[in-house]
Structures are given as C-alpha cells and as structure tokens.
Amino acid sequence: MNLILLGPPGAGKGTQARILVDERNMVQLSTGDMLRAAQSSGTEMGKRVADVMARGELVTDEIVIGLIEEQLTTVKADGFIFDGFPRTLAQADALGALLAKTGQSLDAVIEMRVDDEALVARITARSTCGDCGEVYNDITKPIPADGKCVNCGGTEFKRRADDNEDSLKQRLMEYYKKTSPLIGYYYAKGDLSVVDGLGEIDEVAGAIRTVLDA
Ligand code: ADP
Ligand code: ZN
C-alpha cells in the first residue's frame, strides 16, 4: 500500500503519517524532513537549500526527486507514505515513473482539506520535540506542564525557521500555484479521496483509516 498525503502546509500530513507508521508497517517519506536533516548535518545540498526553505519557496524538482529515488531504491517497507511529495506536476510524473520502475503502484491519494485561517493559526502555534519529532500545538496539544515530551520524555522543543507569518504566506502561495493542481491530476487518474482535515487528530485518523480499508 503506497499512499500520498496531499494538502497545504499545516494540514496535518506529518501528524497523520506518524499515526499510520505506528499502526501499519509503513515508512514515512517526508521530503521536508529529509531536507531539514540535510541542513542539520551540514551537507552541501543542505546549505544550498536552507535559504530557499526559510523563505517558504520550493526547492528544485531535481533535488527532491533525487531524495525520493534514493529512498525508494534502498528502503524495504510494507508501504510508503509520501508526505510533502510530490509538490509539483513534474514531481508527480517522476513519482509515477519511479514506482513503475521499482514494480510498485500508487494505491491512494488523500487530500486533507482545511481552511486557510485554520492553517495560519495552527502553524504559528506549532512546535516539535527535538528528540523524537512529536508535534505539539500551543492551543490544541500543548507541551505538558512538566516540560517532558509525552512520547519520549525529551525536554527540548523547537520551532521551525519557516513557521512564521511571512514564510507561511509564501508557502501557501507556492501550494496554490504549484501543488494544488495535483488535486485535479490525481482526481483524473481516479486515485483521489478527500478527508476533512479540520477535526480532532483521532477523527482525521479515523477518516483516513476508512479510506484505506475501503
Ligand atoms: P510544510 O508542508 O509544513 O510546508 P514540509 O516540511 O513538507 O512543510 O516542507 C518544508 C519546506 O521544504 C518547503 O517549504 C520547501 O521549501 C521544501 N520542500 C519540502 N518538500 C518539497 C518538495 N517536494 N518540493 C520542493 N520543495 C520541498
Ligand atoms: Zn519526544
């Protein structure tokens, strides 16, 4: 089972991907996480994309397609969850070709629909555990009063460099200009399902489960 989670920044793709990883033996492939990891480890590519990402713009197709290809050809899993990829039509075509080449198929594309105001509120309130990546939100899922991560007990939390209002505006613009056409693309291919991304985390997870088990 290979699945794409599609939706604007802040739609909750990463949160839902983590739930699917826990529940099914699937592997999450987040190009955003891969690019941030490249930055932290100080690779040449990481340095090259840092400013682009902080501004909220997309990095080149060539870079992210290369990252995904590397994973698809080396990682064994019962299925992949593509989170934050593809983000352009060229990336979508490349993914189709890569899956075909490795004898796999795409089983579902789930669009997580949320309204723009909710996105801004969510993202500017977001932080993550520095150790395990558990996602918190100042309003809906605050860091526990004892300052310890619910998942791993870690005590360091961080905010992303691009989770500020200016970068977010740019990320939304990129989404509507370059990524939202993928909704029509996958609808036409017959792969698209839509889930309401505005509910509680568990409700959204339930809706995704229903789609996957159908
Ligand atoms: P979000 O979905 O919250 O915007 P991500 O962690 O998926 O965050 O991505 C963060 C940034 O990484 C993007 O704004 C972009 O600069 C870069 N990025 C991630 N995935 C891609 C991709 N598939 N194509 C181009 N750029 C990407
Ligand atoms: Zn943690």
Side-chain angles (χ1 to χ4, degrees), residues 18 128-136 148-157:
R18 291 170 68 90
T128 54
C129 171
D131 288 329
C132 76
E134 184 78 13
V135 182
Y136 292 91
K148 289 191 181 138
C149 172
V150 291
N151 185 47
C152 75
T155 53
E156 261 183 59
F157 300 90

Side-chain angles (χ1 to χ4, degrees), residues 106-151:
L106 185 62
D107 302 291
V109 178
I110 298 185
E111 181 201 350
M112 299 180 62
R113 201 167 279 177
V114 283
D115 72 70
D116 294 337
E117 267 173 62
L119 295 177
V120 178
R122 275 184 183 187
I123 286 188
T124 48
R126 173 162 79 174
S127 60
T128 54
C129 171
D131 288 329
C132 76
E134 184 78 13
V135 182
Y136 292 91
N137 181 291
D138 299 340
I139 299 141
T140 55
K141 187 182 165 187
I143 294 161
D146 65 2
K148 289 191 181 138
C149 172
V150 291
N151 185 47

Side-chain angles (χ1 to χ4, degrees), residues 15-34:
T15 301
Q16 294 301 328
R18 291 170 68 90
I19 293 174
L20 289 169
V21 168
D22 286 344
E23 285 181 359
R24 303 164 191 243
N25 207 10
M26 295 177 83
V27 167
Q28 175 187 11
L29 296 182
S30 161
T31 41
D33 288 349
M34 293 175 207

Side-chain angles (χ1 to χ4, degrees), residues 3-187:
L3 157 75
I4 294 174
L5 292 178
L6 189 62
K13 303 183 294 287
T15 301
Q16 294 301 328
R18 291 170 68 90
I19 293 174
L20 289 169
V21 168
D22 286 344
E23 285 181 359
R24 303 164 191 243
N25 207 10
M26 295 177 83
V27 167
Q28 175 187 11
L29 296 182
S30 161
T31 41
D33 288 349
M34 293 175 207
L35 292 165
R36 279 185 290 277
Q39 280 180 43
S40 324
S41 55
T43 66
E44 217 26 69
M45 184 270 280
K47 285 183 210 154
R48 232 180 329 136
V49 299
D51 290 339
V52 174
M53 289 176 70
R55 283 199 300 272
E57 292 165 14
L58 295 187
V59 310
T60 63
D61 288 338
E62 195 194 347
I63 288 177
V64 291
I65 292 167
L67 288 170
I68 289 288
E69 178 165 23
E70 194 185 314
Q71 297 291 311
L72 283 184
T73 49
T74 56
V75 178
K76 287 264 167 296
D78 286 351
F80 293 104
I81 307 157
F82 298 95
D83 158 13
F85 180 92
R87 259 174 156 97
T88 63
L89 291 166
Q91 291 177 23
D93 282 337
L95 176 61
L98 279 173
L99 287 171
K101 202 170 85 181
T102 52
Q104 304 186 68
S105 59
L106 185 62
D107 302 291
V109 178
I110 298 185
E111 181 201 350
M112 299 180 62
R113 201 167 279 177
V114 283
D115 72 70
D116 294 337
E117 267 173 62
L119 295 177
V120 178
R122 275 184 183 187
I123 286 188
T124 48
R126 173 162 79 174
S127 60
T128 54
C129 171
D131 288 329
C132 76
E134 184 78 13
V135 182
Y136 292 91
N137 181 291
D138 299 340
I139 299 141
T140 55
K141 187 182 165 187
I143 294 161
D146 65 2
K148 289 191 181 138
C149 172
V150 291
N151 185 47
C152 75
T155 53
E156 261 183 59
F157 300 90
K158 43 184 195 188
R159 283 190 200 269
R160 274 169 45 173
D162 60 350
D163 276 355
N164 60 73
E165 253 184 276
D166 281 347
S167 302
L168 178 56
K169 268 193 203 139
Q170 186 59 37
R171 283 155 68 198
L172 272 178
M173 189 61 83
E174 295 281 66
Y175 178 78
Y176 285 114
K177 276 170 41 182
K178 298 173 185 165
T179 308
S180 66
L182 298 185
I183 295 168
Y185 174 98
Y186 285 117
Y187 175 78

